[in-house]
Amino acid sequence: MTKRKRRHRRSVDVRINWLQPHADGFKDWLTQRKYSPATITELVRLLALWGDWVRTSGFAIETLASGLTASALVFRGSKTARAPQGAAALFISYLQETNVLPPERHPSLEETWPTLAAFRRWMQEQRGIKDSTLDTYQAILVDLLASLGTDPAAYTAAAIRGFVLDRAKPHGRGRARGITVATRAYLKYLVAIGQCPVGRDHAVPSFASWQLATTPRFLGQSDLDRLMIACDGEDRLRDRAVILLLARLGLRASEVADLTFDAIDWVTSRITLAGKVRREERLPLTQEIGDAILAYIERARPRIATTRVFLTDTAPVHPLSRIAVKCIVRRALDRAGVKSVHRGAHVLRHSAATSMLRNGVSLAGVGAVLRHRSPSVTALYAKVDIGLLSEIAQPWGGRLPC
């Protein structure tokens, strides 16, 4: 071996060795979380690269968390350049879990915004509102508190109106309506606990929205067929089961993500869902969907201790989130080559409704499957078929033309 090669080998050994006391435990930690051997090898290589920079910059084991922050500017840019940061973040998480480093503490919502924490508890206990909905509200309400303060006495009608209009200005009508819903819900809570005068929620401005003015977003049968074909194969068993639940039963993304084993009754062929505002709702478990779920459970689902049915298929393995379900749909649409402006999970809910209508199911039946509380919501789907409009059409009250 030449002198140059020996020097290179020594530098590599030094670069790896300074973290070596923790390297084997880190590999075992990754293995327990279902990372593949190839991925573990690559993560250790990237960790060595990052560790070389950290040591040269004067950081030690005790200050690795600060080193991660400091290295962000060095390893930013392309995806390849950022990769060492990801390996380092995993390594620090391992050290924190094994008490080599103190666990990173993030201030709780109770500490940062105690009024919003109280609002969340009240909405869950009194209204049965789900966490996913409250998470959507929270980002808007943090802006409300940052803009108007935490003292409800400052929430005058003019201040509320000004906040909503400013917050909604960069967004379209749908997002603007979401801002009004969150703000109005918080003001109603303040009225209920006596911190705002009755009627203060009426100060929230409304944005124009004509009932039944839009056309439902849906995929045609040929696109749905291509989508299902794109989910064929042993490596797509999870995706097939997820998309069948969305496209056949019209489940929401959060309902698929939250599905548990005890919600499936294989004897009576039913699925029990925890709907909005704590309502329990039951849907039929068809043969096609049941077979797809069983195939996933028996042949592809990772074996981890959780009652949730659907899990990630790459490490770290954990239950799917609502966003992950949407990503599954988006990737399946890309594989199928389906050209659609709307690429989220909700387009399959609309597709399920229109497909049922075109196969002879009544509007009332569609509303029952989709669990609509108001018939007027289901009436929107009649617009996909002129013949169905007769079920909701009102007689003309004007004069006939001359």
Side-chain angles (χ1 to χ4, degrees), residues 39-153:
T39 301
I40 292 174
T41 300
E42 178 65 8
L43 286 171
V44 172
R45 185 189 71 81
L46 292 169
L47 177 63
L49 175 65
W50 179 81
D52 188 34
W53 181 91
V54 168
R55 191 177 196 188
T56 303
S57 302
F59 293 96
I61 287 289
E62 297 78 13
T63 55
L64 280 183
S66 300
L68 180 64
T69 303
S71 63
L73 294 176
V74 177
F75 294 101
R76 68 180 179 180
S78 68
K79 184 176 180 181
T80 303
R82 291 197 303 269
Q85 285 289 102
L90 280 172
F91 183 64
I92 290 173
S93 295
Y94 157 70
L95 294 179
Q96 289 169 343
E97 283 195 21
T98 53
N99 297 320
V100 175
L101 292 177
E104 188 176 2
R105 186 177 179 278
H106 297 284
S108 65
L109 184 65
E110 188 76 49
E111 295 170 319
T112 310
W113 299 107
T115 54
L116 289 189
F119 167 69
R120 285 185 74 105
R121 288 194 301 272
W122 188 87
M123 292 291 280
Q124 289 168 335
E125 295 168 2
Q126 304 298 324
R127 301 288 303 278
I129 304 300
K130 287 195 164 188
D131 282 334
S132 57
T133 301
L134 293 173
D135 289 342
T136 303
Y137 289 177
Q138 187 168 305
I140 298 165
L141 297 181
V142 165
D143 289 345
L144 171 66
L145 298 184
S147 176
L148 304 185
T150 58
D151 183 7

Side-chain angles (χ1 to χ4, degrees), residues 16-33 40-41 43-45 47 91 94-95 98 100:
I16 295 175
N17 280 343
W18 96 275
L19 296 176
Q20 190 60 42
H22 306 283
D24 290 338
F26 180 51
K27 294 176 186 176
D28 292 340
W29 184 79
L30 293 173
T31 301
Q32 292 169 7
R33 280 153 183 77
I40 292 174
T41 300
L43 286 171
V44 172
R45 185 189 71 81
L47 177 63
F91 183 64
Y94 157 70
L95 294 179
T98 53
V100 175

Side-chain angles (χ1 to χ4, degrees), residues 350-370:
H350 292 312
S351 301
T354 55
S355 178
M356 284 186 279
L357 284 172
R358 287 176 167 173
N359 282 285
V361 180
S362 66
L363 282 171
V366 172
V369 173
L370 298 187

Side-chain angles (χ1 to χ4, degrees), residues 185-200:
Y186 184 61
L187 291 173
K188 286 182 176 180
Y189 156 72
L190 294 177
V191 170
I193 64 174
Q195 293 191 12
C196 265
V198 174
R200 184 51 50 90

Side-chain angles (χ1 to χ4, degrees), residues 28 78 81 110 123 162 178-179 228 257-258 293 296 322 368 377 380 398:
D28 292 340
S78 68
E110 188 76 49
M123 292 291 280
I179 293 168
M228 296 313 306
D258 294 338
I293 294 175
Y296 167 65
R322 175 175 56 93
V377 177
L380 172 68

